Amino acid sequence: MSFTDNQKIVGWAFLIVGILYVIAALAVIYGALDDDNTTAYIIMGVGSLIAAILYLLFGNKVRTNAISGKLNVLGNYVRIVGVVSVVSGLFVVIAGFFFNDTGDLTGSAIIGTGVFSIILGLIIMWASGKILDGKETTFDKILWIILVVVFILMLIGEIMSLLTDPIDAICGIIISVFMLAYLFDPEVKKAMNM
C-alpha cells in the first residue's frame, strides 16, 4: 500500500505546505517594511499570501476527500499551480508599477516576469484540463513524461536551495515527492496511458 492511498496523509502534507507558504508570505510582507520598494514588495507579498491560502484550501479539500482519486488529486494540484501562477503574476505585474529601479532590477523587468508567470499559469491550467479530461491519448503520455521531468528537476532544485530558502525548499520537496509518487502510481500511469 502506497502512502498516496491514504488521502488524509496527502491532505495533511499539502496543509503543512500551505501553512509554511503563509509564513513565508508574511515574512516577505514584514521584510518589505524596511525596504526602498516597500509598496512593491508588500503587493508581491499579498499575492504570495493569496497563493498560500489557495494551497491551504487545496490541502483541506484533499484531506477531507472533497477531491478524491489519485488522478483527480494530481490534476487538481497541477490546476492549483496554474491558478497560483496567474494570481502571483498579476500581483507581480501590479508591483512592477510601484518598483523603484535599483541596479539591474527594474520595474519593467518585474512586469515582464509577472506577464511570463501569467502565461505559464494559463498553459499549466490547460494541461490540468488534459489530465482530467478522462481520455487516454498520446498527449497524456507526453504530459506524464514532462511532469516527471519537471518534478524531478523541482526536487533537485529545492534540495539545492535548502540552505538559502529553507521554507520554500521544504514545501517544494514535499510537493515534489508526493507528485512523483502519484505519477508513478499504477492507477495514475494507466489513466495517463503509460
Side-chain angles (χ1 to χ4, degrees):
M1 181 168 143
S2 162
F3 67 88
T4 57
D5 290 334
N6 187 336
Q7 292 248 169
K8 284 197 183 272
I9 292 173
V10 177
W12 276 109
F14 282 115
L15 270 175
I16 291 167
V17 165
I19 291 166
L20 290 173
Y21 277 148
V22 166
I23 292 167
L26 292 173
V28 167
I29 293 169
Y30 179 75
L33 299 177
D34 248 359
D35 195 276
D36 291 340
N37 286 298
T38 298
T39 304
Y41 286 125
I42 287 176
I43 291 169
M44 285 191 264
V46 169
S48 296
L49 186 59
I50 292 169
I53 291 168
L54 290 172
Y55 277 115
L56 269 171
L57 294 173
F58 171 76
N60 193 51
K61 284 182 179 181
V62 173
R63 186 185 61 79
T64 61
N65 282 325
I67 297 174
S68 61
K70 295 172 185 175
L71 189 66
N72 281 335
V73 171
L74 175 69
N76 280 291
Y77 173 74
V78 172
R79 177 171 290 141
I80 205 74
V81 168
V83 170
V84 163
S85 291
V86 170
V87 168
S88 298
L90 287 170
F91 278 86
V92 168
V93 167
I94 294 166
F97 289 107
F98 293 93
F99 195 82
N100 300 319
D101 296 352
T102 55
D104 293 334
L105 194 55
T106 64
S108 58
I110 290 174
I111 292 169
T113 301
V115 169
F116 178 77
S117 180
I118 292 167
I119 293 168
L120 186 61
L122 292 172
I123 292 168
I124 292 169
M125 289 186 330
W126 173 80
S128 76
K130 291 307 220 177
I131 292 170
L132 296 170
D133 68 2
K135 299 174 186 168
E136 294 177 20
T137 65
T138 303
F139 184 74
D140 287 334
K141 286 183 181 184
I142 295 167
L143 192 54
W144 185 88
I145 292 167
I146 290 169
L147 288 172
V148 167
V149 170
V150 165
F151 285 120
I152 288 173
L153 291 174
M154 180 180 172
L155 181 60
I156 292 167
E158 299 299 353
I159 289 170
M160 290 171 50
S161 70
L162 262 171
L163 294 177
T164 57
D165 191 0
I167 292 177
D168 277 346
I170 290 167
C171 292
I173 289 168
I174 292 169
I175 291 167
S176 303
V177 167
F178 273 85
M179 290 300 103
L180 284 167
Y182 271 109
L183 284 165
F184 284 101
D185 185 89
E187 183 183 320
V188 171
K189 285 177 75 173
K190 182 180 181 309
M192 292 189 76
N193 204 21
M194 290 303 290

